[in-house]
């Protein structure tokens, strides 16, 4: 028995000599080992950082139409004095100060349509602010506090270093009850199809996030911002332990665009369309896993075409970082930065290769020549423009589309009552193709009295008849 114990002890000693300590515990990441460690607190970290998380109060004035306006019976008794009512609507969200001069990042949906935006600090002081940059597609906005003083700012971390299982804190103002801190872990990365926008690369966390947390900070244990809380998965409006945050690396690029004075947030123009890789597609292409972005179209003469990208190929990585889906590809190219180059790993026909693509803004190859349609015709109130890759990118239309697009529809106009919408592409009028705004106006001057129009909306062809 003793000899057996000696052999076992010797074996364990030998094992300990050949296996490094890192095999038993990951570097700098350990679970609590004692009661004392279980009593550790996040409060020093909260005190250090909570001053940089603010409340955002957005107020908008809306007009309520009088239901009896235009009714001859009521106008006979009450005259024409049936004014529309106006009322104020307020929304509450959160924001994060990221520069000492008072630059605040929040969600676009928190301040969308607001006429007046106020920032309330954790110490109770309130300041007016103005919008420097906002973008619906990525759901981000940058505000500037109207005050000349230094504010506490939260440093921005590298969200590419975030791992599933990392401890995080979420700070915001849920339900308007006041600043609240919740803790949790990173549950997943690269989540997509979470919101209705075209951005799909979120950090998922189980830290409690509720209405009012939007625009607040998701923070790591170094006191750095790793994400802007933006959405929850909930059927009842409360937290179910599934929250989503926009990664800090995208926030960093967006903030830089605001600081440079750009009026719009531009992303790299690739000149190609992508779709997810299904299991059937992966099998047909000989891929080991159903991941990546399948090239479904390439714009002739665009950056993808010049780089040699072909339809039917699959982009599996950007600068050596794997991409799970087309949204992840868009995120990686955006955070790589305009004016840079990216190396794409491409698989197809049983082989793998790398191509280099230039990351520049979309060209306005056709002058947009924006015009407002007026006169006595069904199209009055439409604002139209010539499509180009640049305008298509701004409107989130496939970059290879050409022709004339609706950029705005005047409220209450004939075209608005007939159901025209922004982003509608006008294909033809009375059987004649519409190729330019100038040509469309010339067609309207003929005034045949009967109109047959064909439009494209979200990839679907629609034909309508008007008199």
């Amino acid at each position: 028995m003793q000899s057996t114990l000696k052999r076992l002890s010797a074996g364990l000693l030998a094992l300990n000599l050949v296996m490094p300590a890192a095999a038993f515990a990951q570097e700098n990441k350990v679970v609590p080992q004692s009661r004392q460690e279980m009593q550790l607190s996040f409060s020093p970290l909260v005190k250090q950082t909570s001053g940089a998380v603010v409340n955002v109060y957005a107020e908008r004035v809306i007009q309520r139409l009088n239901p009896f306006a235009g009714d001859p019976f009521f106008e006979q008794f009450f005259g024409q004095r049936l004014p529309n009512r106006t009322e104020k609507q307020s929304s509450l969200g959160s924001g994060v100060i990221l520069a000492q001069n008072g630059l605040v990042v929040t969600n676009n949906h928190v301040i969308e349509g607001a006429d007046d935006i106020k920032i309330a600090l954790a110490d109770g002081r309130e300041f007016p602010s103005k919008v420097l940059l906002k973008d619906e597609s990525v759901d981000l906005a940058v505000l500037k506090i109207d005050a000349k003083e230094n504010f506490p700012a939260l440093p921005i971390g590298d969200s590419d270093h975030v791992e599933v299982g990392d401890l995080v804190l979420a700070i915001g103002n849920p339900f308007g009850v006041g600043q609240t801190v919740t803790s949790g872990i990173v549950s997943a990365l690269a989540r997509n199809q979470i919101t209705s926008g075209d951005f799909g690369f979120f950090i998922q966390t189980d830290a409690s996030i509720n209405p009012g947390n939007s625009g607040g900070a998701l923070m790591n244990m170094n006191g750095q911002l790793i994400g802007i809380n933006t959405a929850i998965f909930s059927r009842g409006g409360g937290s179910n332990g599934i929250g989503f945050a926009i990664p800090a690396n995208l926030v960093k690029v967006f903030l830089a665009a605001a600081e440079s004075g750009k009026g719009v947030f531009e992303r790299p123009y690739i000149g190609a369309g992508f779709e997810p890789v299904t299991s059937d597609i992966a099998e047909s292409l000989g891929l080991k896993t159903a991941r990546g972005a399948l090239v479904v179209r390439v714009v002739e003469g665009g950056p993808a075409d010049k780089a040699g990208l072909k339809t039917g190929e699959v982009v599996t990585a950007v600068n050596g970082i794997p991409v799970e889906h087309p949204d992840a590809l868009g995120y990686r190219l955006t955070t790589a930065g305009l004016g840079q180059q990216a190396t794409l790993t491409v698989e197809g026909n049983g082989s793998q290769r790398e191509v280099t693509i230039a990351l520049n803004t979309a060209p306005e190859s056709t002058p947009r020549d924006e015009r407002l349609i007026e006169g006595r015709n069904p199209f009055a109130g439409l604002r139209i423009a010539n499509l180009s890759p640049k305008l298509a990118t701004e409107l989130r239309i496939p970059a290879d589309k050409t022709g004339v697009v609706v950029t705005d529809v005047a409220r209450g106009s004939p075209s608005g009552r007939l159901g025209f919408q922004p982003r509608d592409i006008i294909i033809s009028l009375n059987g004649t193709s519409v190729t330019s705004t100038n040509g469309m106006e010339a067609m309207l001057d003929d005034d045949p009295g009967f109109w047959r129009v064909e439009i494209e909306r979200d990839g679907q062809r629609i034909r309508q008849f008007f008199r």
Side-chain angles (χ1 to χ4, degrees):
M1 181 68 178
Q2 290 182 351
S3 60
T4 303
L5 290 174
K6 287 181 180 179
R7 288 196 301 271
L8 179 59
S9 179
L12 289 173
L13 178 61
L15 181 64
N16 201 29
L17 290 174
V18 299
M19 294 188 67
F24 297 101
Q26 280 190 333
E27 53 179 320
N28 300 325
K29 295 181 180 180
V30 296
V31 297
Q33 301 293 319
S34 65
R35 181 177 179 180
Q36 184 179 6
E37 291 183 2
M38 290 290 291
Q39 293 175 334
L40 293 175
S41 172
F42 292 124
S43 68
L45 187 59
V46 173
K47 290 175 182 177
Q48 172 189 334
T49 59
S50 60
V53 181
V54 300
N55 296 336
V56 179
Y57 297 94
E59 193 173 76
R60 58 184 60 85
V61 177
I62 63 171
Q63 191 175 63
R64 298 291 188 188
L65 298 179
N66 193 306
F68 302 114
D71 190 304
F73 175 80
F74 281 89
E75 289 183 353
Q76 179 182 355
F77 285 93
F78 300 102
Q80 300 297 320
R81 293 172 296 176
L82 291 171
N84 296 324
R85 296 184 297 109
T86 60
E87 62 181 54
K88 292 183 178 180
Q89 283 188 344
S90 299
S91 63
L92 173 66
S94 305
V96 186
I97 303 176
L98 295 179
Q100 290 186 336
N101 63 351
L103 290 183
V104 176
V105 171
T106 185
N107 286 136
N108 177 74
H109 72 259
V110 170
I111 56 94
E112 183 63 27
D115 302 301
D116 185 37
I117 304 172
K118 287 186 172 60
I119 302 295
L121 303 186
D123 60 14
R125 292 182 297 160
E126 290 189 5
F127 297 92
S129 69
K130 62 179 180 180
V131 179
L132 296 187
L133 181 64
K134 63 178 183 177
D135 189 277
E136 180 184 1
S137 63
V138 296
D139 198 18
L140 286 173
V142 176
L143 313 176
K144 175 66 172 66
I145 298 176
D146 189 10
K148 294 183 178 180
E149 63 176 273
N150 288 333
F151 296 93
L154 199 64
I156 305 178
D158 187 349
S159 53
D160 282 347
H161 290 167
V162 174
E163 296 180 311
V164 174
D166 284 353
L167 282 171
V168 290
L169 297 182
I171 308 179
N173 188 357
F175 299 113
V177 299
Q179 191 176 86
T180 302
V181 181
T182 56
S183 66
I185 64 170
V186 173
S187 306
L189 301 171
R191 291 298 199 203
N192 68 335
Q193 298 181 349
I194 303 301
T195 64
S196 58
D198 67 349
F199 173 75
F201 194 94
F202 294 91
I203 298 172
Q204 181 181 324
T205 177
D206 69 346
S208 294
I209 295 174
N210 287 287
N213 271 109
S214 291
L218 188 68
M219 191 174 63
N220 63 16
M221 294 298 101
N222 294 321
Q224 298 172 325
L225 181 81
I226 60 167
I228 294 292
N229 300 322
T230 188
I232 59 173
F233 183 83
S234 173
R235 290 186 172 90
S239 174
N240 288 336
I242 302 179
F244 302 94
I246 299 171
N249 285 3
L250 179 62
V251 176
K252 193 181 303 182
V253 174
F254 193 84
L255 182 64
E259 290 180 308
S260 68
K262 293 184 178 179
V264 295
F265 180 57
E266 295 183 291
R267 286 181 275 180
Y269 169 64
I270 305 304
F274 302 90
E275 289 184 359
V277 177
T278 64
S279 56
D280 291 338
I281 292 175
E283 184 179 356
S284 65
L285 295 177
L287 301 177
K288 296 179 180 179
T289 58
R291 290 187 176 186
L294 175 67
V295 183
V296 294
R297 62 178 178 274
V298 176
V299 179
E300 185 177 355
D305 186 32
K306 293 178 181 178
L309 212 59
K310 307 294 183 184
T311 57
E313 294 183 317
V314 176
V315 179
T316 58
V318 176
N319 293 333
I321 303 175
V323 296
E324 297 80 3
H325 41 70
D327 290 336
L329 172 63
Y331 169 79
R332 292 298 173 190
L333 295 174
T334 301
T335 54
L338 291 172
Q340 305 298 318
Q341 289 187 331
T343 300
L344 308 183
T345 302
V346 181
E347 295 188 22
N349 298 322
S351 62
Q352 178 177 297
R353 63 192 181 98
E354 291 186 343
V355 300
T356 301
I357 190 167
L359 303 180
N360 298 312
T361 58
E364 192 160 337
S365 51
T366 303
R368 60 183 68 189
D369 189 26
E370 199 164 1
R371 301 178 182 220
L372 176 65
I373 302 297
E374 299 176 318
R376 297 176 59 85
N377 60 71
F379 309 96
L382 288 184
R383 186 170 293 277
I384 58 175
N386 293 322
L387 267 174
S388 65
K390 186 177 182 65
L391 181 56
T393 301
E394 292 176 11
L395 298 177
R396 291 179 288 163
I397 294 173
D400 57 346
K401 297 294 183 182
T402 59
V404 173
V405 66
V406 176
T407 59
D408 193 22
V409 182
R411 182 178 296 181
S413 65
S415 58
R417 292 193 294 270
L418 290 173
F420 283 96
Q421 299 177 12
R423 302 173 67 235
D424 284 346
I425 301 174
I426 301 175
I427 305 299
S428 66
L429 290 179
N430 292 338
T432 302
S433 297
V434 176
T435 58
S436 68
T437 55
N438 181 48
M440 180 172 172
E441 275 201 326
M443 293 180 193
L444 297 179
D445 290 339
D446 294 339
D447 191 17
F450 178 85
W451 299 97
R452 185 173 72 254
V453 59
E454 182 180 9
I455 65 174
E456 181 178 327
R457 178 181 297 165
D458 296 329
Q460 301 294 320
R461 292 288 182 104
I462 301 174
R463 295 177 178 84
Q464 292 183 327
F465 300 87
F466 304 124
R467 290 188 179 277

